[in-house]
Amino acid sequence: MTEPDPRRWRALAVCLVAGFMTLLDVSIVNVALPSIEAGVGATESDLQWIVSGYALTFGLVLVGAGRTGDAIGRRTMFIAGVLVFGLSSLAAGLAPSSGVLVAARLFQGIGGGLLNPQVSGLIQELFSGRERGRAFGLLGATIGVSTAVGPVVGGLIIGLLGVETGWRWIFFVNLPIVVGAVLLALRWLPPPRRRHDERLDLDPVGVALLGLGVAALLLPLIERGRGDGFSFPWWTGLIGAGLIAGFVAWESAYTARDRSPLVELALFRVPGYPSGATVSAVFFAGFTGIFFVLTIYFQQALGYSALGAGLMVTPYAAGSAIGSALGGRLVHRFGRLLVTGGLVLSLVGLVAVDVVITEVDGTALPWALAGPLLLGGLGSGFVISPNITLTLHDVPVDRAGTAAGVLQTGQRIGTAAGIALIGAVFFGLGAASGDFTNAAAWALRVAAAVISLALIASAVDLRTRQREGRVSPEATEAGNPAQRHTGS
């Protein structure tokens, strides 16, 4: 049995800080949009692309980046991603026009997509057993907290530095983190393993098919056509589905020719991987839509400032951090049962939020919402990191980056689809009736319905695992002692 790398926890810290930085940029920019509009004369379409362009390019490169990291070394790809993100952050902060800012955000997304699959891959490589569960617990906390605190951090920066220049510092604050991440990655991340017997095959046709397919799926979701903005037609998504089907056929044929495909389809025969990826994508569609609706509702309907709206959802962030830390320690024992229970808690918290916003108003609202949001966040923490652990548990380490890229691509598609659906309900009902409280309540009910689908998928997987006697990693390893020494 090989000794664990003594630098593994320091390496994890570097990875999590860089990952937090890129995931924070998904939501931190939202509160700065009015300032950006005034600062560079951005149109409504420009603002939409400043937000959605980042998500688009982030999702496009995930799988290819994971595959490349598996092939040439995760430290190499991690550092490349950090550098791309840092240079594009500098360009965004200095942007003299909206066009330059949109382009910088597209490259920021590429940087985030390059480095994030390496984080999960490195956890698979450096940790095993209970330690892997703890590491994924910290990753889950990073994902949950970064999503929730983005509006708070953005509001604080603009509040301190002013609306004229504060938005630029939303991008500039990344620069010292980038420098530190590169230096510490060179010192603490494991160097690439030389594979002289393995020919590098990056499957360019597979890369093109998957990239075009994901783009066609995401574009009609993230470009919803507000005002005079251009809208991609819904059937663009059908083209995307066709391209994804073509990608699957190509990968199968590529494998049959004894080549190295971008995504080995055998990955979806790994126990727990397909069901875990499904739970992840569907849950992200539900829970990210909650923040989207609530932060807009608090500002537009209730008159909160950007910072005030961000602070309103901090109980969810706190609950998510606590749940992720606990979940990372408990998942090895309770497995899919923990995830299923977390989905139940998320649903209960969300239903309670629905009741509170329709029955409570005035100064009592923040206090009444704190408990339900904390409960929902706790449930989210029990879902995100334990689900990552279970989904990747049996994936071979040499394909961990690819598997993580596929998993995160599903999360990005789920996020875009959820925000589009839940946002359409909120804006549609609000515009039709003028009652944005009722509109927010119905949007939250749609989010609850989406999370219910994730609960069903998790419950089905739990039942399958119970029949096969592998409810948790602990139970699986007890039945197969040799697995303890594989790092799988």
Side-chain angles (χ1 to χ4, degrees):
M1 181 176 179
T2 58
E3 290 295 322
D5 192 320
R7 300 170 299 178
R8 62 193 182 281
W9 290 107
R10 286 174 288 182
L12 177 64
V14 176
C15 291
L16 294 184
V17 169
F20 182 89
M21 173 181 66
T22 62
L23 293 170
L24 188 72
D25 264 54
V26 175
S27 59
I28 192 174
V29 76
N30 290 337
V31 298
L33 293 178
S35 301
I36 292 172
E37 183 178 16
V40 294
T43 65
E44 188 175 80
S45 179
D46 292 333
L47 294 178
Q48 194 167 2
W49 272 102
I50 287 168
V51 176
S52 62
Y54 181 85
L56 176 63
T57 53
F58 196 119
L60 284 179
V61 303
L62 281 166
V63 178
R67 170 71 178 88
T68 307
D70 290 338
I72 69 172
R74 298 184 181 109
R75 186 178 75 176
T76 301
M77 288 300 294
F78 178 87
I79 292 174
V82 172
L83 289 174
V84 170
F85 188 88
L87 291 172
S88 54
S89 295
L90 177 62
L94 296 173
S97 67
S98 59
V100 173
L101 182 54
V102 169
R105 284 287 286 174
L106 292 174
F107 278 98
Q108 264 195 316
I110 291 173
L114 289 176
L115 75 88
N116 270 279
Q118 317 314 324
V119 178
S120 297
L122 284 164
I123 290 175
Q124 289 283 91
E125 178 181 338
L126 296 173
F127 298 90
S128 62
R130 292 182 181 275
E131 278 197 345
R132 184 180 291 174
R134 290 176 58 195
F136 274 124
L138 293 171
L139 175 60
T142 300
I143 294 171
V145 173
S146 63
T147 302
V149 304
V152 180
V153 176
L156 280 172
I157 291 174
I158 292 175
L160 289 172
L161 301 177
V163 295
E164 292 185 1
T165 59
W167 68 267
R168 296 186 182 275
W169 285 94
I170 282 177
F171 304 110
F172 288 149
V173 293
N174 294 327
L175 300 180
I177 301 173
V178 166
V179 173
V182 171
L183 294 176
L184 294 177
L186 288 170
R187 182 174 183 181
W188 289 336
L189 266 60
R193 293 192 178 98
R194 302 297 180 186
R195 298 182 180 181
H196 299 294
D197 59 336
E198 183 176 323
R199 181 168 55 88
L200 184 61
D201 184 357
L202 296 181
D203 185 11
V205 175
V207 170
L209 285 171
L210 181 62
L212 290 172
V214 171
L217 285 173
L218 285 176
L219 283 171
L221 298 174
I222 61 179
E223 175 74 71
R224 292 182 300 276
R226 297 174 295 182
D228 296 329
F230 174 75
S231 177
F232 284 88
W234 64 268
W235 47 260
T236 306
L238 297 181
I239 295 175
L243 288 168
I244 295 296
F247 166 76
V248 172
W250 170 263
E251 296 296 273
S252 179
Y254 207 65
T255 303
R257 289 159 50 194
D258 199 27
R259 301 292 296 272
S260 179
L262 177 64
V263 176
E264 293 185 7
L265 299 181
L267 187 65
F268 293 93
R269 295 194 292 272
V270 173
Y273 187 82
S275 55
T278 300
V279 170
S280 179
V282 177
F283 182 70
F284 268 74
F287 105 98
T288 51
I290 297 169
F291 295 110
F292 178 75
V293 166
L294 288 180
T295 53
I296 292 176
Y297 170 69
F298 292 146
Q299 292 179 75
Q300 292 189 352
L302 302 184
Y304 283 76
S305 66
L307 177 58
L311 291 172
M312 287 283 283
V313 297
T314 51
Y316 195 103
S320 180
I322 294 169
S324 295
L326 291 174
R329 296 177 180 274
L330 297 175
V331 64
H332 205 75
R333 179 178 179 184
F334 295 104
R336 180 57 65 186
L337 184 62
L338 180 66
V339 176
T340 306
L343 287 164
V344 172
L345 285 180
S346 293
L347 270 177
V348 171
L350 188 53
V351 170
V353 170
D354 179 3
V355 172
V356 168
I357 66 171
T358 55
E359 300 295 333
V360 180
D361 55 20
T363 57
L365 182 61
W367 301 105
L369 278 176
L373 286 173
L374 183 67
L375 182 63
L378 186 66
S380 175
F382 286 155
V383 174
I384 295 175
S385 60
N387 188 64
I388 295 172
T389 303
L390 296 172
T391 305
L392 299 179
H393 181 263
D394 295 315
V395 172
V397 171
D398 62 350
R399 292 294 178 263
T402 305
V406 173
L407 188 65
Q408 291 187 51
T409 299
Q411 292 173 359
R412 300 282 77 76
I413 293 174
T415 296
I419 289 176
L421 173 62
I422 296 165
V425 172
F426 176 68
F427 288 118
L429 290 178
S433 67
D435 185 352
F436 281 93
T437 297
N438 182 62
W442 275 104
L444 292 175
R445 290 162 197 165
V446 172
V450 173
I451 293 176
S452 296
L453 296 177
L455 175 59
I456 292 170
S458 184
V460 169
D461 185 50
L462 175 61
R463 180 60 178 163
T464 301
R465 289 170 179 265
Q466 287 173 335
R467 287 200 304 265
E468 297 174 356
R470 54 179 189 89
V471 173
S472 67
E474 188 175 84
T476 302
E477 292 172 9
N480 183 15
Q483 189 179 26
R484 297 171 189 164
H485 304 287
T486 65
S488 299

